[in-house]
Amino acid sequence: MTDRARELAEDQGLGPVEAMIGLDATRESPGGKRASSVLCLCERGLLVVTTKRGVREELLDVLDGRPLSYTRGRLRDQLTIGGARFGVPRRARAAAERALALARLRRGGQPERAASLAGWRYVDELGIVAETWLVSTLETDEVVLAWLSTGTTRLVPSSLGDASSGALLVLLTDRRALTVALSPVGDARVESLPEVPLRVDERSVRAGNACFTADRSTAARLGELAPLFALTPCDRLRELARLEYEHRRKRAALEAARRLLALAAKRGDLRSEVAAYLLAVERSEPPAELPHSLAGLEANALATLFEHWRVSARAGRVLESALEDRGDAGEPWALELHVAVHAAARREGGDPLELARGDLALAKHLLDRGAPSRARPILERCLTELPSEALDDLLPPRDADLTEGAGGQALRIRLYELLARARPGDGGRPDPMAAAELARLQPLVVSRTRVLIGVAEPGLRARAVEVARVLEVGGLGPCPGGAPQTDVRPLPEAMISGLLEHPLVREGGALLGRLQALLAEVPRPDTSAIRDYCEQLSVERHGDFARVLADAALMLGVPRLEAYVSRGDKSVGLRAYDGDPPFVLVGGRHLEPGELAMTPRELAFAIGAEAAHLRFGHSRATSSEVWAGAVEKARQGLDVALGIMPAWKGVKLAQRARGVMTALRGAPAGRSLAGALAPKLAPRAATLRQELLGPINEELVAAHRVMQLTADRAGLVLCGELGAAVRAMLLVRRDHHAELVRAERVGIAPVLARRSPGGAIALQDLAIRVAALVAFYLSDDFARLYGSAHGA
């Protein structure tokens, strides 16, 4: 019977049969015979086909306009078409109702199927009846954004009979918001929701006067969708794309985001084009081109997109760079985006130096766009958070010319340059604080000092004038020779440890631990040899020089400090030794007339620095510090080997030298101790040179330099005159004497900038010392220390 019914139904031109439901309906034929019927759902219609042998076959179009009703019953349902009644078995109820619903919704035509929304977060599974109702209801190009079953029901009136219950659903498209309840036989109860944000409170949902309940899952998703109900079509598409992307655990959700953005972009939405660009960059895919023009978008539009889409700072920087490439055409969107990306990068954290570079880049952008008030807080915070770069002052690249501003604390320099722009002084002049810091950070750059001269208060201005004089041609000529102030006072312990000592080795300084680990105690030499072969410095014979020694001992708290004069071929330089009592060995040529003679101020710097080595317990750690004092008394010479690489633990070199010196104490006049020691020292010296090239060499160099810079600070406080201090640095080194002669003629800058044939700065150690000394001279620390030591 069913095969015959299928043939009869398909012969009616209504398309293939989709479903056949057997009916319990009975009809009396004209001959009194009973016949059975089948409900046939075709692609374009619904028929009841009655067929049986000996009975005339009949086809009844269910939707031909005759009165139609469908009534549920306890045992069976009843389908009435005109005057014909058909029974529907209870087991076939769902199939019969679905066939009625589909036929009624299609109304003679098969609508196009809706685009697949499977996997979308806000689209529940669509049954065939719901899908058919949707596609028959949607307008051209209308896009379904959400279709959510609430878990509650509504009564749905029906033209086929009594009202029946249908599940309440929420439909949101790009242009409408509705609640929909569908009956099993295809009737719909549709109510519009006002275009206002939904209010969702646990399971209660309100929109204007409309109110309904939803299960927890739906209520949560409606809460996410709530703002969309008040948005325009393109905004709805873009915001739903963002929500789908935010929950991108399923690939379908990511594809949904792309489809929605593409659709909005096709409608001319610039924000969606930018969002698609960000999405592609975030997923490391080749991005499409940005819109050629962003005209019409608010200045913060792209920043808001970046923040709402919660992509990484990396993706934001790619977009930011694309806008910067457009120059002024990319503003003001690039600026506000930069602000947002910078905030995201700080939230993500990372390397403090990279974060500081980000601060400086944003501050510059703000300043370039005339927003100093927004740049200032960023720079001031960066100033408090910027990690120390002091090691960069100690270990600049070997080819860095400090006189040109190369090397050093590059980030801090850049920070203060920007601060100078962000907070200009009176009358548009540079900010005095920033000018002072820049002069200290690039102390050998004369232009920085000249700027400081124009804005500094009187005390600092006087020191800046002295710096400019020393750095210019002729500034290192011989000093007048006057002695330092004689009313020297002891420096308080708090000042010695808190101001005089270099910041890197103060308590908690970055190098403190390394210094303690790398440097061992210097062996104390046998001072009896010094007393036997050297002349002791005295007030009667050496006048001002002895008073300088006493001042250094008093200022730094080094009791019983003695000095001895070394003469002979190596009678150049000074060196302090921690004996009992401690003493300073002074090269005799510095105390006698001649090209290496030192004025009292120059000697004050040299002795003050050596006394500081004693005060702070410094060890020597580099080969450049190996120095042998030549002593001569009554024209009899004996080399005294002291201070040879004592920083290496386990090295007995100094003890061996002292032992040999003791053995040779009674040797004939003129015999050279250096000659006797040479075979013993040479093998170890080669080994030490190799060790210095090892991985800790850089730390050793930094440790040695920071100790020397601390000593130089003390020498300058005692001396009080920058020019005399710099001259003293050159005078105590025989290999630097020619450099002093050249500096007197052409200035110190060309000397410090001279390069070796390999391109490295020839006197980088000296350049670092001079730069550090000038920076200290311009600091408040110097002013306080000098005032305390000299009562100024």
Side-chain angles (χ1 to χ4, degrees):
M1 181 266 185
T2 55
D3 291 341
R4 181 58 181 163
R6 182 182 298 276
E7 292 176 7
L8 292 172
E10 291 179 349
D11 287 345
Q12 301 305 305
L14 299 178
V17 175
E18 296 179 359
M20 299 180 68
I21 302 100
L23 303 176
D24 286 344
T26 58
R27 288 187 66 184
E28 292 291 336
S29 66
K33 294 182 179 181
R34 300 170 68 83
S36 297
S37 302
V38 177
L39 184 64
C40 296
L41 175 64
C42 299
E43 190 178 69
R44 292 186 295 277
L46 183 65
L47 300 174
V48 173
V49 179
T50 303
T51 178
K52 191 173 184 180
R53 287 184 181 180
V55 178
R56 181 171 60 86
E57 297 170 333
E58 291 185 2
L59 287 85
L60 186 60
D61 188 342
V62 176
L63 304 178
D64 65 353
R66 284 176 287 186
L68 177 66
S69 66
Y70 186 90
T71 306
R72 287 185 173 185
R74 289 188 176 181
L75 299 179
R76 68 179 63 192
D77 298 346
Q78 182 172 291
L79 173 64
T80 303
I81 306 169
R85 294 191 301 275
F86 302 90
V88 180
R90 187 69 179 272
R91 66 180 181 278
R93 171 186 289 173
E97 288 180 339
R98 182 169 59 250
L100 275 169
L102 292 175
R104 296 176 69 203
L105 291 171
R106 292 170 181 175
R107 293 297 179 185
Q110 174 72 41
E112 294 183 3
R113 292 182 62 83
S116 174
L117 304 178
W120 287 32
R121 176 172 174 78
Y122 303 100
V123 177
D124 288 338
E125 184 175 352
L126 293 172
I128 184 63
V129 174
E131 182 179 346
T132 304
W133 180 86
L134 267 178
V135 296
S136 64
T137 304
L138 295 177
E139 299 173 0
T140 304
D141 295 333
E142 190 173 9
V143 181
V144 175
L145 305 182
W147 174 264
L148 297 174
S149 176
T150 65
T152 60
T153 59
R154 283 280 197 273
L155 282 178
V156 183
S158 175
S159 61
L160 301 187
D162 297 335
S164 58
S165 296
L168 182 68
L169 303 109
V170 176
L171 171 64
L172 179 68
T173 73
D174 58 334
R175 62 194 71 170
R176 287 189 286 176
L178 309 169
T179 58
V180 181
L182 293 174
S183 76
V185 293
D187 295 294
R189 177 179 173 179
V190 180
E191 297 175 356
S192 295
L193 291 173
E195 293 183 352
V196 295
L198 295 184
R199 288 176 294 166
V200 180
D201 182 13
E202 293 186 352
R203 297 182 58 186
S204 176
V205 183
R206 291 181 177 274
N209 294 325
C211 180
F212 55 90
T213 60
D215 59 50
R216 294 188 182 279
S217 172
T218 302
R221 287 180 289 168
L222 284 172
E224 296 168 7
L225 291 171
L228 274 69
F229 287 77
L231 300 180
T232 61
C234 281
D235 289 344
R236 282 186 185 181
L237 290 168
R238 185 179 62 256
E239 184 62 12
L240 183 68
R242 185 191 68 80
L243 289 173
E244 290 284 357
Y245 179 71
E246 189 172 295
H247 301 277
R248 56 188 180 276
R249 295 174 184 170
K250 294 182 179 179
R251 182 172 181 81
L254 180 60
E255 293 304 319
R258 289 195 175 104
R259 284 171 53 187
L260 291 165
L261 290 175
L263 182 57
K266 187 176 180 181
R267 296 180 181 182
D269 184 55
L270 295 177
R271 288 177 174 84
S272 293
E273 289 191 64
V274 177
Y277 183 95
L278 279 173
L279 180 58
V281 173
E282 180 72 357
R283 296 189 59 83
S284 301
E285 299 169 352
E289 289 291 331
L290 279 175
H292 293 296
S293 173
L294 299 173
L297 293 182
E298 303 86 355
N300 66 343
L302 303 194
T304 302
L305 273 176
F306 169 79
E307 292 170 339
H308 282 186
W309 279 76
R310 299 182 184 179
V311 294
S312 65
R314 176 191 62 82
R317 282 191 286 268
V318 173
L319 175 58
E320 181 188 333
S321 177
L323 291 174
E324 288 176 353
D325 290 343
R326 299 183 178 187
D328 290 340
E331 297 289 355
W333 306 282
L335 177 60
E336 298 306 323
L337 176 65
H338 195 166
V339 173
V341 173
H342 172 262
R346 290 190 64 84
R347 286 193 299 270
E348 292 175 10
D351 177 45
L353 290 177
E354 285 302 317
L355 294 178
R357 291 185 183 97
D359 288 343
L360 299 184
L362 176 58
K364 180 182 183 301
H365 197 168
L366 289 166
L367 289 170
D368 289 345
R369 293 296 160 181
S373 61
R374 296 177 67 185
R376 272 197 301 273
I378 297 171
L379 292 169
E380 288 164 355
R381 181 194 62 209
C382 182
L383 188 60
T384 64
E385 297 177 356
L386 183 65
S388 173
E389 297 179 278
L391 277 175
D392 293 337
D393 283 338
L394 297 179
L395 298 167
R398 295 183 61 192
D399 61 349
D401 184 354
L402 304 189
T403 67
E404 294 293 332
Q409 304 184 50
L411 287 181
R412 200 169 295 271
I413 292 167
R414 189 70 183 122
L415 191 157
Y416 278 105
E417 287 175 337
L418 295 173
L419 267 177
R421 294 174 57 189
R423 52 186 190 196
D426 297 336
R429 297 187 306 164
D431 174 54
M433 186 274 285
E437 287 296 334
L438 287 169
R440 287 190 282 266
L441 287 167
Q442 293 182 308
L444 300 184
V445 179
V446 180
S447 59
R448 297 288 195 197
T449 306
R450 292 196 181 109
V451 170
L452 178 59
I453 291 171
V455 297
E457 50 81 22
L460 179 56
R461 182 185 301 121
R463 299 201 302 277
V465 168
E466 172 66 5
V467 169
R469 183 192 69 79
V470 169
L471 296 181
E472 290 174 348
V473 176
L476 271 189
C479 300
Q485 293 179 245
T486 56
D487 56 344
V488 174
R489 305 174 182 178
L491 285 175
E493 181 63 31
M495 279 194 166
I496 291 177
S497 60
L499 298 179
L500 184 61
E501 198 166 21
H502 192 280
L504 275 176
V505 290
R506 294 173 190 168
E507 187 65 35
L511 276 184
L512 186 61
R514 292 178 185 175
L515 286 169
Q516 293 172 341
L518 292 172
L519 302 179
E521 182 182 359
V522 180
R524 296 185 176 184
D526 183 355
T527 56
S528 62
I530 299 297
R531 293 188 178 92
D532 287 345
Y533 297 104
C534 298
E535 177 186 1
Q536 187 171 8
L537 198 73
S538 65
V539 175
E540 294 76 13
R541 289 183 57 81
H542 304 102
D544 291 337
F545 305 116
R547 284 190 290 272
V548 166
L549 179 72
D551 288 343
L554 177 63
M555 185 183 82
L556 295 173
V558 182
R560 301 168 55 216
L561 179 62
E562 297 180 355
Y564 294 88
V565 180
S566 171
R567 304 185 187 281
D569 293 337
K570 297 187 177 181
S571 57
V572 176
L574 287 81
R575 185 66 181 260
Y577 294 96
D578 184 15
D580 186 17
F583 66 93
V584 177
L585 198 61
V586 182
R589 295 189 62 186
H590 301 309
L591 306 181
E592 301 169 349
E595 57 185 10
L596 295 179
M598 299 176 72
T599 67
R601 283 189 182 272
E602 292 165 354
L603 195 63
F605 172 82
I607 289 180
E610 292 303 318
H613 284 309
L614 294 171
R615 175 64 177 78
F616 292 111
H618 290 166
S619 301
R620 298 315 212 283
T622 64
S623 58
S624 62
E625 292 297 324
V626 177
W627 184 81
V631 293
E632 178 188 15
K633 189 174 184 181
R635 296 184 180 181
Q636 295 182 2
L638 182 66
D639 291 334
V640 180
L642 298 170
I644 303 176
M645 303 299 289
W648 295 86
K649 292 183 178 180
V651 177
K652 305 299 182 181
L653 202 57
Q655 291 90 328
R656 286 158 55 193
R658 191 165 59 242
V660 173
M661 180 184 65
T662 303
L664 295 179
R665 186 173 297 169
R671 182 169 178 178
S672 171
L673 179 61
L677 288 177
K680 301 177 180 291
L681 301 184
R684 183 56 182 158
T687 302
L688 287 173
R689 280 195 297 273
Q690 293 176 1
E691 290 174 347
L692 284 172
L693 297 176
I696 67 170
N697 182 43
E698 186 174 88
E699 291 182 342
L700 281 171
V701 170
H704 174 262
R705 282 177 177 169
V706 79
M707 290 187 303
Q708 185 60 57
L709 299 187
T710 292
D712 289 347
R713 290 158 73 97
L716 184 59
V717 171
L718 184 65
C719 165
E721 186 177 285
L722 180 64
V726 175
R727 283 182 58 86
M729 285 184 185
L730 296 167
L731 284 168
V732 297
R733 290 276 297 272
R734 185 185 296 275
D735 55 340
H736 285 171
H737 179 248
E739 305 296 345
L740 175 59
V741 173
R742 183 166 178 251
E744 290 176 344
R745 186 178 71 257
V746 300
I748 188 65
V751 171
L752 300 179
R754 181 171 61 83
R755 296 183 182 274
S756 67
I761 298 298
L763 300 175
Q764 189 72 289
D765 279 340
L766 180 63
I768 291 169
R769 286 184 67 189
V770 173
L773 197 68
V774 172
F776 174 62
Y777 186 63
L778 292 174
S779 70
D780 293 337
D781 287 356
F782 172 80
R784 292 179 60 190
L785 287 164
Y786 188 81
S788 178
H790 298 277

